[in-house]
Structures are given as structure tokens and as C-alpha cells.
């Protein structure tokens, strides 16, 4: 049975007349490759703790290579002389404060005859190492977001690409130029051997040719993000893309060939020394080997994402994947793994679970599939996939030309293997559905009970935890439940919900709105907390405003109506509550110990107290603050850092007042205010000052002049704020998340992609370390606000991997607003 709309596996050339309007598309050739050249496993290297994201062949020692990982390390591997033909870790490279995403070898020079190792990371930095040292020789700073690609050229030049949409050219420890022209993340860069030409590929679907800092040409043809580039010669190069295609280009601009074989995103390319044959890896779990324009071998891996690859000097291939394992494959029989290790690798592959919704296997109807006898017929190309049914199980096999047999590559979960009825009893309880899930070949089936009133994501999460399965399968299991219960109405659930921002006062639809406020200030613990200072936007009946708690809110109603009450959030979220008497008492206490030049007289203290009273309710009819009182506040804000925090609390309240906002945030004084607050936000500063400075910046968004000031200073403010993600303080994280959210709100209707990219980058960086659920929630709202109704921003977020980064929050049950908001963001990014 043919289950694919187009053949999988190897491809071949077709005549020019067949594709007269464009480059030749390579289609499948029915033939066998000589098995003597087939690659087989040499060894598996389980050295990293998380995804292996980059690989590069080293100049020295012979046969060595470097790997980098999300575990924040790089590692140098050298071949050992043991019978298993494996590799030994020479040493580990450290220096990045967040995950490492790319690596390259800088060309040897007289100073460094063995070359240097350059690594790029999510901390926006490039670390440069000598081959024999574990700490950086120096660090290159300048990018404003993740450095995701590196390439080296002659004379020690280094080219970097970043999520900040730019590429940078470095020489030694200096940035020589910044290449600006892409409108989305730069995922791939290469330097051509001659002519001083450079190439960059981007999530904006284009490739650009650069010379002397100028864009000389733009190549268009890919239909999705360009993920990899590889040089063939001075005049030709390859590109690969999320659109599942590989393209061969002439530097002059013509696309001369298009290669199809992958069935999902293609992440990396590497060219063999003959400059014609190449390899590719991608999200379809495969390494594919291309010779003379044909995909001659497909090697499947027991990992979903095969992120990177490199060709070693002896022709062996190293690949890195999402399971944290590096695998080396060889065509030379003497270097191949033992029969026992080869069988163990095949067994591991056969036990993987395959989701048919990835598009790799086509639509599956179990009743139409052939039985095991179908495997008696040989395949007609390497990598050909065949599905068979074994009872109620669906198994996937792949044809191996070199072994002349079908190899099992996993069990398919998602066919018609579920048992349903209106009442299915399982372990003494009744369920709407009881699904049968097969994970391990030969092992017992697992039962997944499910009621229509339940959250499929939470059910999937609990199933994985109960059966000790990898959380990597969360999306697959949840989507399987959703797909197989389509068309069924979810029954009513008990009303529940509260203010999604404070979590206070569980609210029942239809209840009176004159009940007590929605909980206390989550930061001070006192008084009613209303995060939004602007007018409350109207909300659909039965749904609360997530920032004020106004109106009835029910999580059950939310799931049924799919109403988005969370984003876009365009009015500023501010920090309102304070205890004025306690603030003044603290100021008077500290004033007594203040240096003589900073000490305030009783008269000045009374003036400061009048200011505090007048700004505590900025829209009241009380007398507005005078210019003398505002100047006094500005003077007091320069108290020594160890005692200034109560003055900052007054500043935080004061900037909400229209007159103070205009005076302190206007053209003449605004930059001074901004610089002073940023100086208090140094990572080595005092946490109380950091938190109150962040809150003050958030409250500046409450006025026209404050918004204009912060938008003008956005790049500097967000960069400094992002440095506080590493501070272990939940109140700082909440304030930081609120600042990002307010920027996202101001940018929502603006076509400023660079600014939105910075918001996405800072939010993504914060989510790497932030644990507090309230901060996570506000960051999710910021992401949703940034991408809502903006296709380009959505493409950028997808290219940054936001989907996979936030998917874990869809299973958070307390507070429920986190999961609900997360699912809405994921829906925007589908």
C-alpha cells in the first residue's frame, strides 16, 4: 500500500523540459547503491546532558571534533585506540551562562597554529577558546540576542548570525562591521573562500550575499525559514530550509537544483571533501547522505530532532540530536561498531514511538494496512517506509539497501487503536474513552483513560508521569487525544476561576460584583491589588479581565468558548499598592543615619510627605505636587544605594501622576531619570533597588511622556533588564516580566520587527531561568501580545523555538491561567 502522496527516499534528476519554468527538481530514482559504501554506526557518545546543537571538525588532534549543547558546555573529542573505535573527551569548554547553540573552528594562524574554537550562545556572547584550555581566551559581545550560527574565513575573520536579525564580522577581539538587512533571525552564515563574499540565511526566507558590508544580492525561493548554508565552491553553495527542501545556488543568483527527500524541517548541511556530495539532517529523525545529486542512504535516529552534522577528515559523519547523544557513522567496515552494538542501536530505534501527524507516514487507516507478510516483498530504494498492522498495532519499517532487509523503526501511535463507548470502565471508574498506547515492542500496552470534561494536556502530562515516559511526548499525546475526540462536546465542569493575575477570590459566574476585592498586593501582601491602572476593558459575559479581576470568570467557560481574555494586552500593567505611612516612617528612620549632605530637614520631610499623599491617588482631586516637591524627590532619589529604597518607592508611585510623569520623563529630564534607574539595576546591585527601579519603569508607561521616553530608550532598558534574569528573586522576575509585557503592549500595533525581536528574545531568555508562575504568566502574555495578528512576528517566534520552549507550561494546573494562556500562544504559533 502506498501511503505517501509523493515517494520518500532518494531522488534523481529530471529533464529540463519537465520543469521549464524553474530549477530542476530531483525526483526518486529506482536503484540500489553499492552496499560497500553504506554508512553504519561507529559509536555513540553520551557525553552531553541536553540537546547537542552544534558540531565542528577540529584541525588538531587528527580526527578530533568539537560539540556544543544546551547544557551550556562545549566538549572536545579525540579518537581513542580502543577496540570500539570510540572517542574520548579531551576536555569540557565552559564560559556561557546559557545554552550554547553553535560552534566553528577559526582558521589556524601564526599565533594559533592549531586554530581556535568559537562558540555562540543564548547569552548573546561568542566565546573563543584555544584547543587546550577550558576557559575562554576572550569573549565577543555586541549581539543583542542569541548567537545561533558561526563561520570562519581567512586571516582569522569570524562571521556570526543572531536572533537580533543581524550578522557581525569580527577580527580578533573587535567587531569590524554589522550586516543589517534581514527582517528576522539570521539562522545561517558562511564565508566564501575567495572574493571576500559572505552569505546569510534568515527566518525571513531569504539568503543575502554581502560584500564589504553591503548587501549585493538577495536570493529568494525557499518558502520557509532558511536554517543552513554550506559552501560548494567560490561560485556555488547549498541551502536548506524548514520547507523540507535543499537548494543548490550559483553565486550569480540562479537556483540550479532543488532536492526533496526530507519530510520535515531540515536543520543542517555538510559537504564532503569532493565538494559535490553532502549530508543533511532534520526534524524527521534522519541523517540523509547525498551522492551525485541523489539521496543514496537514509539513516533514522531514535531522537526526534537531529540538529547538526559534520564530516570528519576520514569521511566519517558525526551527528548531534535532541537526546543529547553524539553518533558517529562510518563507511569503513574496520571502524564499524561490533555486531552487538549495531543490534542494540537497531533495537533502540525499533522501540521509538512515531506520531503519524508529523506528515512522515501519511494518513493511516489500520483496516486498510497489509499484514506482516507484506515485509516479504523487497523495497525498491534505501529509506523507503512501509507500514504493516500486527493485530491492533501499527508498525513502521524502513528498507535498508546495504542489509537487503526491512528494519523496524518504531510503533505508530495514533491510528484506530482506541476503544470508545459512552461508558468504559477502567480500574473501577467510568470514562468516555480508554485509549491503548503501545510504546515498547514486546512490552505491555498502556491504557490512557480520558473524560471529555478533562483537559487533554493535563491528562497527557499525568499519563507520561505515571508511566515514567519522556515529557518530549507531551504534545504528541495531547494532540492524539484532541484529534481522536473531535466533534464531541465537553460536558459542563464546576465553575471556577479568579483574577488570573493575583489568583485571589475564586469567582463564580453571575455572582455579585460588589464582593471584596480580588486578593492582596502579591508583592506587599496588603490591600487590594489592581495591576492595571487604565480603564478596564470590556470582557465577554462570563469572562473576567485577567488583570483587574472584573467580571465573571470561569475556566470551564473559557475552554468551551475559546475566548482569549489574556492578549493582546495593550494598556500598561502597573504596580499600584503601597503603605504610605510605612514608607514615610522608613524614610524618617533612615534620614537620621544619612550622610550630612543628604540629610533632609523636618520641613523637607513634611514636603516629601505631602508629595506622597498627592501621588498615592494620582487621579484624585487633591492638590497636585508642586515643582519644588518634584525636585525634592529627584534629589532624595540620589541617596546612597543602601538607604535609597523607600525614596524609590515614592518615585514608583509618583511617576503615575500626570504632572510628575511629564516633569521627570519629559525631553529635558527623561534621559537622566532613565540612566539613574538603570544604574540601580546593575546585576551586582541591591535586590530591593533593582526591583523598585524595574517597578518605576513599569509605572512610567502610565503616562504619555513616560511611554515616549521608554520607547526611545527601549534597546538600552531591555538589555539591562535582561541581565537581571539570573538574579534569584521572584519579585524582580515579576517586575521584569511586567516591563517586557508593557513594551509588548506598546509595540503591538507597530511594524517594528527589531523591537519585537528584542521583546521575544528577552522573554525567551527570561523563561530559561524564571520559576515563579506569576512571572511566567506575564511573560506568556507578553509573547502572545507580541505575536498576535502579526504573521512576521509569529514566524520570528517560531524560528526562535518559542513553541517548544513554552509547551511545558500547557500542563500547569495551578494557577490554571498559565496553561490557558500558554495554549492560546501555541495556537497563535501553529
Amino acid at each position: 500500500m502506498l501511503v505517501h502522496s509523493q515517494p520518500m527516499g532518494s531522488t534523481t534528476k529530471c529533464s529540463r523540459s519537465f520543469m521549464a519554468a524553474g530549477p530542476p527538481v530531483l525526483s526518486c530514482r529506482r536503484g540500489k547503491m553499492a552496499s560497500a559504501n553504506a554508512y553504519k554506526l561507529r559509536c555513540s557518545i553520551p557525553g552531553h546532558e541536553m540537546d547537542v546543537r552544534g558540531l565542528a571538525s577540529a584541525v588538531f588532534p587528527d580526527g578530533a571534533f568539537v560539540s556544543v549543547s544546551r547544557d551550556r558546555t562545549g566538549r572536545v573529542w579525540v579518537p581513542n585506540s580502543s577496540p570500539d573505535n570510540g572517542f574520548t573527551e579531551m576536555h569540557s569548554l565552559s564560559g556561557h551562562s546559557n545554552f550554547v547553540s553553535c560552534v566553528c573552528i577559526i582558521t589556524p594562524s601564526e599565533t594559533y597554529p592549531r586554530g581556535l574554537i568559537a562558540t555562540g550562545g543564548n547569552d548573546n556572547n561568542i566565546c573563543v577558546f584555544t584547543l587546550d584550555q577550558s576557559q575562554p581566551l576572550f569573549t565577543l559581545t555586541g549581539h543583542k540576542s542569541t548567537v545561533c550560527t558561526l563561520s570562519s574565513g581567512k586571516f582569522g575573520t569570524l562571521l556570526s548570525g543572531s536572533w537580533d536579525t543581524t550578522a557581525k564580522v569580527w577580527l580578533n577581539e573587535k567587531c569590524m562591521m554589522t550586516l543589517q538587512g534581514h527582517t528576522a533571525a539570521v539562522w545561517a552564515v558562511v564565508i566564501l573562500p575567495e572574493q571576500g563574499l559572505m552569505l546569510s540565511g534568515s527566518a525571513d526566507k531569504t539568503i543575502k550575499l554581502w560584500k564589504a558590508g553591503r548587501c549585493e544580492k538577495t536570493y529568494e525561493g525557499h518558502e520557509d525559514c532558511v536554517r543552513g548554508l554550506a559552501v560548494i565552491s567560490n561560485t556555488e553553495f547549498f541551502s536548506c530550509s524548514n520547507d523540507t527542501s535543499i537548494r543548490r545556488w550559483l553565486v550569480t543568483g540562479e537556483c540550479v537544483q532543488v532536492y526533496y527527500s526530507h519530510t520535515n524541517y531540515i536543520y543542517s548541511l555538510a559537504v564532503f571533501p569532493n565538494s559535490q556530495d553532502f549530508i543533511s539532517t532534520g526534524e524527521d529523525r534522519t541523517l540523509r547522505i547525498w551522492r551525485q545529486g541523489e539521496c543514496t542512504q537514509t539513516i533514522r535516529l531514535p531522537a526526534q530532532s537531529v540538529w547538526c552534522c559534520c564530516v570528519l577528515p576520514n569521511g566519517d559523519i558525526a551527528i548531534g540530536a535532541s537526546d543529547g547523544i553524539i553518533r558517529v557513522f562510518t563507511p569503513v567496515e574496520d571502524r564499524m561498531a561490533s555486531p552487538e552494538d549495531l543490534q542494540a542501536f537497531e533495537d533502540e530505534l525499533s522501540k521509538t514511538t512515531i506520531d503519524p501527524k508529523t506528515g512522515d507516514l501519511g494518513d493511516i487507516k489500520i483496516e486498510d494496512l497489509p499484514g506482516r507478510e507484506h515485509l516479504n516483498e523487497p523495497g525498491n530504494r534505501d529509506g523507503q517506509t512501509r507500514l504493516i498492522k500486527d493485530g491492533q498495532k501499527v508498525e513502521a519499517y524502513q528498507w535498508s539497501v546495504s542489509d537487503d532487509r526491512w528494519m523496524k523503526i518504531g510503533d505508530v501511535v495514533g491510528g484506530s487503536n482506541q476503544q470508545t463507548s459512552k461508558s468504559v470502565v477502567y480500574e473501577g471508574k467510568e470514562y468516555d474513552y480508554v485509549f491503548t498506547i503501545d510504546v515498547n515492542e514486546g512490552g505491555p500496552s498502556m491504557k490512557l483513560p480520558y473524560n471529555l470534561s478533562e483537559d487533554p494536556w493535563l491528562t497527557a502530562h499525568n499519563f507520561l508521569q505515571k508511566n515514567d515516559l519522556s515529557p518530549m511526548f507531551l504534545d504528541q499525546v495531547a494532540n492524539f487525544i484532541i484529534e481522536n475526540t473531535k466533534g464531541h462536546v465537553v460536558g459542563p465542569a464546576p465553575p471556577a476561576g479568579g483574577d488570573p493575575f493575583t489568583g485571589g477570590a475564586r469567582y463564580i459566574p453571575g455572582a455579585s460584583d460588589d464582593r471584596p476585592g480580588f486578593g492582596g498586593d502579591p508583592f506587599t501582601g496588603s490591600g487590594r491589588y489592581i495591576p492595571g491602572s487604565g480603564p478596564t476593558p470590556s470582557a465577554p459575559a462570563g469572562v473576567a479581565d485577567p488583570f483587574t479581576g472584573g467580571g465573571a470568570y470561569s475556566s470551564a467557560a473559557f475552554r468551551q468558548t475559546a475566548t482569549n481574555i489574556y492578549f493582546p494586552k495593550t494598556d500598561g500593567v502597573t504596580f499600584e499598592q503601597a503603605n504610605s505611612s510605612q514608607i514615610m516612617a522608613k524614610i524618617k528612620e533612615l534620614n537620621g543615619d544619612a550622610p550630612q549632605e543628604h540629610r533632609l530637614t523636618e520641613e523637607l520631610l513634611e514636603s516629601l510627605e505631602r508629595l506622597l499623599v498627592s501621588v498615592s491617588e494620582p487621579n484624585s482631586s487633591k492638590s497636585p505636587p508642586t515643582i519644588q516637591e518634584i525636585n525634592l524627590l529627584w534629589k532624595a532619589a540620589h541617596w546612597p544605594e543602601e538607604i535609597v529604597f523607600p525614596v524609590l518607592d515614592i518615585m514608583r508611585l509618583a511617576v503615575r501622576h500626570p504632572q510628575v510623569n511629564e516633569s521627570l520623563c519629559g525631553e529635558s529630564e527623561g534621559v537622566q531619570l532613565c540612566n539613574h534607574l538603570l544604574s540601580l539595576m546593575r546585576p551586582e546591585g541591591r535586590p530591593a533597588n533593582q526591583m523598585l527601579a524595574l517597578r518605576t519603569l513599569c509605572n512610567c508607561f502610565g503616562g504619555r511622556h513616560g511611554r515616549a521616553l521608554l520607547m526611545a530608550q527601549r534597546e538600552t532598558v531591555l538589555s539591562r533588564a535582561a541581565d537581571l534574569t539570573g538574579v534569584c528573586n521572584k519579585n524582580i522576575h515579576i517586575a521584569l516580566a511586567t516591563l517586557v509585557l508593557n513594551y509588548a503592549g506598546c509595540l503591538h500595533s507597530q511594524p517594528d520587527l527589531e523591537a519585537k525581536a528584542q521583546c521575544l528574545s528577552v522573554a525567551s531568555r527570561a523563561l530559561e531561568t524564571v520559576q515563579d508562575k506569576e512571572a511566567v504568566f506575564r511573560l506568556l502574555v507578553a509573547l502572545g501580545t507580541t505575536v498576535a495578528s502579526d504573521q512576521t512576528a509569529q514566524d520570528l517566534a517560531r524560528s526562535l523555538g518559542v513553541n517548544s520552549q513554552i509547551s511545558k507550561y500547557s500542563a500547569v494546573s495551578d494557577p490554571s491561567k498559565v496553561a490557558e494562556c500558554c495554549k492560546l500562544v501555541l495556537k497563535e504559533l501553529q
Side-chain angles (χ1 to χ4, degrees):
M1 171 187 171
L2 182 64
V3 297
H4 303 98
S5 57
Q6 64 180 40
M8 295 177 55
S10 56
T11 58
T12 189
K13 297 179 181 178
C14 62
S15 66
R16 285 274 180 171
S17 59
F18 183 73
M19 288 289 290
V25 177
L26 304 187
S27 58
C28 183
R29 184 181 75 168
R30 310 278 179 169
K32 294 184 178 181
M33 182 187 74
S35 60
N37 294 329
Y39 277 78
K40 290 191 176 182
L41 182 71
R42 172 177 170 177
C43 63
S44 297
I45 309 172
H48 285 287
E49 298 173 3
M50 298 178 72
D51 303 46
V52 178
R53 295 303 300 265
L55 293 165
S57 178
V59 177
F60 179 88
D62 187 39
F65 65 89
V66 184
S67 61
V68 295
S69 166
R70 284 183 67 93
D71 65 11
R72 307 187 182 194
T73 70
R75 297 175 193 266
V76 182
W77 304 95
V78 295
N80 57 44
S81 56
S82 63
D84 63 3
N85 290 303
F87 286 78
T88 301
E89 181 182 323
M90 183 174 168
H91 59 256
S92 177
L93 308 175
S94 59
H96 287 282
S97 60
N98 214 319
F99 68 76
V100 192
S101 53
C102 56
V103 60
C104 80
I105 304 299
I106 299 178
T107 308
S109 63
E110 288 186 7
T111 307
Y112 302 104
R114 297 178 178 178
L116 295 171
I117 301 169
T119 62
N122 187 245
D123 56 6
N124 309 349
N125 295 335
I126 301 166
C127 293
V128 180
F129 303 82
T130 59
L131 200 63
D132 53 0
Q133 295 293 325
S134 60
Q135 294 297 316
L137 180 67
F138 54 84
T139 300
L140 304 175
T141 61
H143 278 296
K144 299 165 190 171
S145 191
T146 297
V147 179
C148 52
T149 177
L150 294 167
S151 178
S152 66
K154 287 187 173 183
F155 313 113
T157 55
L158 180 68
L159 178 62
S160 62
S162 168
W163 292 358
D164 64 12
T165 76
T166 71
K168 290 181 180 291
V169 183
W170 310 82
L171 182 61
N172 300 322
E173 300 181 44
K174 293 183 179 180
C175 178
M176 306 303 292
M177 65 182 69
T178 299
L179 311 180
Q180 295 179 305
H182 287 291
T183 59
V186 178
W187 274 107
V189 294
V190 290
I191 300 177
L192 294 172
E194 305 291 344
Q195 306 176 45
L197 298 177
M198 301 176 181
L199 292 163
S200 60
S202 169
D204 63 13
K205 309 176 187 178
T206 70
I207 302 164
K208 292 185 181 293
L209 178 70
W210 305 87
K211 186 171 184 179
R214 290 187 56 188
C215 179
E216 298 287 322
K217 192 178 298 293
T218 297
Y219 308 82
E220 296 181 342
H222 280 297
E223 298 176 0
D224 207 334
C225 172
V226 179
R227 297 300 290 263
L229 295 169
V231 175
I232 303 172
S233 67
N234 287 325
T235 59
E236 291 185 283
F237 64 93
F238 289 118
S239 64
C240 66
S241 167
N242 282 359
D243 64 12
T244 76
S245 76
I246 299 168
R247 289 176 175 259
R248 182 171 183 155
W249 304 83
L250 297 179
V251 172
T252 53
E254 183 183 2
C255 177
V256 293
Q257 284 182 336
V258 183
Y259 308 82
Y260 286 106
S261 182
H262 282 278
T263 59
N264 210 322
Y265 297 168
I266 307 174
Y267 293 136
S268 68
L269 291 166
V271 179
F272 283 106
N274 65 10
S275 298
Q276 294 298 320
D277 301 334
F278 61 97
I279 59 176
S280 58
T281 67
E283 185 67 14
D284 58 5
R285 308 178 185 226
T286 68
L287 158 69
R288 298 180 189 253
I289 299 164
W290 302 77
R291 295 196 183 279
Q292 298 178 6
E294 302 167 8
C295 179
T296 55
Q297 187 178 1
T298 299
I299 300 176
R300 290 188 183 267
L301 283 300
Q304 180 62 57
S305 306
V306 188
W307 293 116
C308 53
C309 61
C310 74
V311 177
L312 302 180
N314 63 0
D316 288 0
I317 297 168
I319 63 100
S322 55
D323 59 1
I325 296 176
I326 303 165
R327 295 178 176 87
V328 181
F329 296 88
T330 182
V332 179
E333 186 172 354
D334 289 346
R335 293 199 295 267
M336 291 178 183
S338 66
E340 293 79 13
D341 288 343
L342 290 173
Q343 186 60 50
F345 173 69
E346 185 176 335
D347 291 344
E348 183 183 11
L349 182 64
S350 72
K351 293 176 182 178
T352 56
T353 302
I354 301 173
D355 180 3
K357 298 176 186 65
T358 60
D360 196 13
L361 303 175
D363 296 327
I364 299 172
K365 294 183 179 179
I366 191 170
E367 61 273 14
D368 295 338
L369 293 177
R372 191 169 292 276
E373 68 280 357
H374 196 44
L375 299 178
N376 295 329
E377 303 174 10
N380 49 35
R381 65 184 181 278
D382 193 84
Q384 179 185 357
T385 303
R386 183 166 287 178
L387 302 181
I388 62 106
K389 65 180 177 182
D390 184 8
Q392 290 301 302
K393 294 170 58 178
V394 178
E395 298 178 343
Y397 287 80
Q398 175 180 292
W399 180 250
S400 170
V401 169
S402 60
D403 292 336
D404 198 34
R405 64 186 178 93
W406 292 99
M407 295 173 57
K408 185 178 179 184
I409 59 173
D411 291 313
V412 180
V413 176
S416 302
N417 63 333
Q418 70 272 14
Q419 173 190 0
T420 65
S421 73
K422 290 186 177 180
S423 179
V424 183
V425 178
Y426 176 67
E427 294 184 344
K429 296 181 180 180
E430 291 188 352
Y431 294 92
D432 295 321
Y433 289 84
V434 175
F435 298 103
T436 300
I437 307 294
D438 292 313
V439 178
N440 296 317
E441 181 184 16
S445 298
M446 298 178 184
K447 299 296 183 181
L448 195 164
Y450 177 71
N451 283 317
L452 289 169
S453 60
E454 296 173 345
D455 186 321
W457 297 90
L458 181 58
T459 300
H461 172 75
N462 292 337
F463 169 77
L464 296 176
Q465 280 200 331
K466 177 182 178 181
N467 294 284
D468 195 27
L469 298 174
S470 169
M472 180 182 70
F473 297 117
L474 177 64
D475 288 352
Q476 296 181 21
V477 176
N479 288 324
F480 169 72
I481 295 172
I482 294 168
E483 185 68 24
N484 286 279
T485 57
K486 278 184 176 179
H488 296 275
V489 178
V490 179
D499 174 13
F501 255 73
T502 68
R506 306 299 290 173
Y507 201 79
I508 301 174
S512 171
D513 285 339
D514 58 5
R515 60 192 295 168
F518 285 78
D521 177 6
F523 314 106
T524 67
S526 62
R528 183 175 181 228
Y529 172 59
I530 304 176
S533 62
T536 302
S538 59
V543 181
D545 170 45
F547 298 84
T548 68
Y553 171 72
S554 162
S555 59
F558 167 78
R559 281 192 290 268
Q560 291 184 40
T561 62
T563 302
N564 186 347
I565 62 172
Y566 299 113
F567 59 83
K569 175 67 177 170
T570 55
D571 54 326
V573 180
T574 53
F575 296 87
E576 302 282 323
Q577 298 304 308
N579 188 318
S580 299
S581 60
Q582 290 184 5
I583 292 175
M584 281 309 304
K586 195 66 179 177
I587 286 179
K588 291 175 181 178
E589 173 190 339
L590 295 173
N591 185 58
D593 298 326
Q596 185 64 40
E597 65 271 20
H598 292 290
R599 196 171 301 167
L600 303 178
T601 64
E602 285 297 323
E603 181 180 356
L604 291 177
L605 286 173
E606 291 176 3
S607 179
L608 195 60
E609 189 167 10
R610 285 195 299 273
L611 170 69
L612 176 57
V613 171
S614 65
V615 300
S616 293
E617 297 179 19
N619 296 317
S620 70
S621 58
K622 295 178 182 178
S623 299
T626 66
I627 190 65
Q628 291 79 12
E629 291 169 348
I630 297 173
N631 290 336
L632 173 61
L633 174 63
W634 176 244
K635 177 182 177 182
H638 289 78
W639 271 12
E641 289 193 16
E642 60 270 18
I643 63 172
V644 75
F645 64 91
V647 181
L648 294 178
D649 223 3
I650 299 180
M651 179 80 74
R652 185 255 307 183
L653 296 169
V655 293
R656 303 171 305 146
H657 194 285
Q659 190 165 333
V660 180
N661 193 277
E662 179 178 0
S663 179
L664 291 183
C665 301
E667 291 183 4
S668 59
E669 304 290 343
V671 174
Q672 294 182 51
L673 172 66
C674 203
N675 289 338
H676 181 58
L677 293 174
L678 293 180
S679 71
L680 296 170
M681 288 164 53
R682 300 186 314 277
E684 67 275 14
R686 293 176 173 266
N689 295 344
Q690 293 167 341
M691 176 190 71
L692 289 167
L694 282 168
R695 290 187 180 184
T696 302
L697 290 171
C698 292
N699 285 3
C700 285
F701 280 91
R704 175 172 61 88
H705 294 87
R707 284 194 299 273
L709 168 67
L710 290 181
M711 291 303 289
Q713 300 295 317
R714 183 255 317 155
E715 183 177 323
T716 304
V717 171
L718 279 179
S719 295
R720 175 57 59 86
D723 292 337
L724 296 179
T725 57
V727 177
C728 188
N729 185 302
K730 75 172 187 178
N731 288 333
I732 289 176
H733 289 168
I734 291 171
L736 167 61
T738 307
L739 181 65
V740 178
L741 172 55
N742 284 348
Y743 270 111
C746 286
L747 293 167
H748 171 65
S749 58
Q750 298 185 22
D752 190 341
L753 188 62
E754 181 181 353
K756 290 186 177 183
Q758 190 181 22
C759 277
L760 289 172
S761 178
V762 174
S764 176
R765 179 175 172 184
L767 286 169
E768 289 285 334
T769 55
V770 168
Q771 300 295 321
D772 181 80
K773 293 298 189 295
E774 180 60 27
V776 169
F777 170 65
R778 296 189 185 200
L779 289 168
L780 290 172
V781 178
L783 289 173
T785 300
T786 304
V787 303
S789 306
D790 188 331
Q791 184 62 51
T792 305
Q794 291 168 12
D795 291 342
L796 175 61
R798 280 189 286 267
S799 72
L800 298 181
V802 168
N803 311 54
S804 58
Q805 184 181 33
I806 69 172
S807 61
K808 61 184 178 182
Y809 299 118
S810 62
V812 173
S813 58
D814 185 20
S816 61
K817 64 181 181 180
V818 174
E820 291 168 354
C821 185
C822 176
K823 292 172 191 174
L824 288 167
V825 177
L826 290 171
K827 185 177 180 181
E828 287 282 339
L829 298 178
Q830 284 179 349

